[in-house]
């Protein structure tokens, strides 16, 4: 079986696919890629189904394959080259057997994805190859490891480039109201939508903290709530009113009130925000969010 050799690697590299839906009732969140669009983009570029790839949080590594295979680098814009020849993002390229692929730091964005035409073929666990660190499924990759990759059926296929929206360039994150939004009074909701936040250094694949100037966003009258279902994209407010946005590996139950939920289309944009970058939110209706989702799915189908 073809293999990918890891000569050196950054501190936050894992194998990720689209995760494990359907296990929430058993206490396991879906997990999977923090920027799911990046895997869909790579599949379009390589002309394949969505395979597992390497998710690189801020820094990549040095890799070699023992067979010719096409690759694509999507998500965050990362410094990369093959034997010294620059590798641009969002384009297919052939990595020849024995060539050295070097991926450095992220110039823009946080999560970069290295995908292969044959995918990474590590064993399936509960119908997925995704690493889920908080559930101890898989783990961080280490230098000296090798990973099985699938055979590229057409390594000489013409190179393809995808022009997609730049979600590392900022923008307003859209938020749907949720079942607890109205627990916050109208003044607090309005202040939340008008506040400019900063992505805190405190964050991981479970969620990120948002810092801001001024008072916290607390419930009217000190209302307490019962713990209930939480999902990626939910915006929880801690006891002192500090917002945390939940990401792919969030827990499944929580007791902090939720002022809203980031839309499907904005999830990748939020995940790619670096610490220190500014973030603004805008409320839209659930119907509007659903129309956006359908438009996004149409664009994904057209990418090929």
């Amino acid at each position: 079986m073809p293999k990918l050799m890891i000569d050196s690697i950054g501190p936050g590299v894992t194998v990720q696919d689209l995760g494990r839906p359907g296990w929430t009732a058993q206490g396991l969140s879906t997990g999977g890629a923090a920027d799911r669009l990046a895997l869909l983009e790579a599949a379009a570029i390589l002309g394949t189904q969505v395979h597992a790839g390497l998710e690189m949080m801020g820094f990549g590594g040095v890799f070699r394959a023992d067979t010719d295979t096409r690759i694509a680098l999507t998500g965050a814009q990362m410094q990369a080259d093959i034997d010294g020849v620059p590798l641009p993002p969002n384009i297919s390229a052939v990595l020849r057997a024995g060539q050295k692929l070097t991926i450095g730091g992220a110039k823009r964005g946080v999560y970069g994805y290295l995908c292969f035409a044959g995918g990474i073929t590590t064993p399936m666990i509960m119908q997925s190859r995704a690493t889920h660190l908080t559930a101890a499924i898989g783990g961080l990759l280490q230098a000296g490891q090798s990973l099985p990759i699938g055979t590229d059926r057409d390594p000489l296929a013409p190179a393809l480039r995808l022009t997609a929206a730049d979600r590392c360039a900022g923008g307003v994150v859209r938020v749907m109201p949720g079942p607890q939004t109205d627990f916050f009074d109208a003044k607090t909701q309005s202040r939340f939508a008008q506040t400019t936040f900063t992505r805190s250094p405190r964050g991981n694949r479970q969620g990120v903290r948002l810092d801001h100037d001024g008072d916290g966003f607390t419930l009217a009258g000190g209302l307490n709530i019962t713990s209930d279902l939480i999902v990626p994209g939910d915006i929880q407010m801690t006891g002192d009113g500090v917002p945390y946005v939940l990401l792919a590996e969030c827990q499944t139950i929580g007791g902090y009130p939720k002022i809203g939920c980031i839309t499907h289309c904005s999830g990748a944009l939020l995940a790619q925000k670096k610490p220190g970058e500014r973030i603004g939110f805008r409320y839209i209706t659930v119907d509007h969010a659903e129309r956006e989702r359908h438009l996004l799915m149409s664009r994904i189908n057209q990418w090929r």
Side-chain angles (χ1 to χ4, degrees), residues 23-39:
W23 296 93
T24 303
Q26 285 74 37
L28 179 66
S29 54
T30 299
D35 180 351
R36 299 164 69 83
L37 282 180
L39 293 183

Side-chain angles (χ1 to χ4, degrees), residues 78-92:
M78 307 187 77
Q79 299 172 335
D81 67 76
I82 298 175
D83 281 353
V85 178
L87 174 65
N90 300 321
I91 189 170
S92 61

Side-chain angles (χ1 to χ4, degrees), residues 65-215:
D66 62 1
T67 187
D68 293 355
T69 181
R70 287 172 299 139
I71 61 173
L73 193 61
T74 58
Q77 296 183 13
M78 307 187 77
Q79 299 172 335
D81 67 76
I82 298 175
D83 281 353
V85 178
L87 174 65
N90 300 321
I91 189 170
S92 61
V94 177
L95 179 65
R96 302 287 185 184
Q99 285 187 317
K100 183 170 69 173
L101 169 63
T102 302
I103 303 176
K107 296 180 288 185
R108 298 172 68 194
V110 176
Y111 294 99
Y113 294 84
L114 172 61
C115 296
F116 303 83
I120 293 175
T121 57
T122 50
M124 299 278 279
I125 299 174
M126 300 162 70
Q127 295 83 53
S128 172
R129 294 184 169 92
T131 299
H132 197 304
L133 297 173
T134 55
I137 299 175
L140 296 172
L141 297 176
Q142 305 293 328
Q145 278 185 263
S146 63
L147 295 172
I149 58 175
T151 299
D152 185 351
R153 302 299 180 187
D154 193 8
L156 300 180
L160 296 177
R161 180 188 296 275
L162 177 68
T163 302
D166 183 3
R167 54 189 172 276
C168 299
V172 175
V173 176
R174 295 174 299 284
V175 178
M176 299 176 288
Q180 296 172 357
T181 299
D182 287 339
F183 291 177
F184 298 84
D185 61 35
K187 182 178 179 181
T188 301
Q189 293 180 44
S190 177
R191 185 164 57 88
F192 174 78
Q194 294 172 12
T195 298
T196 298
F197 297 90
T198 301
R199 200 304 206 164
S200 169
R202 294 176 60 182
N204 52 30
R205 284 179 42 82
Q206 290 182 276
V208 297
R209 171 185 166 123
L210 303 181
D211 294 329
H212 68 286
D213 295 326
D215 297 333

Side-chain angles (χ1 to χ4, degrees), residues 176-184 228-229 234 258-261 286:
M176 299 176 288
Q180 296 172 357
T181 299
D182 287 339
F183 291 177
F184 298 84
D228 66 350
L229 173 72
D234 277 344
K258 302 177 286 289
I259 202 168
C261 185
V286 174

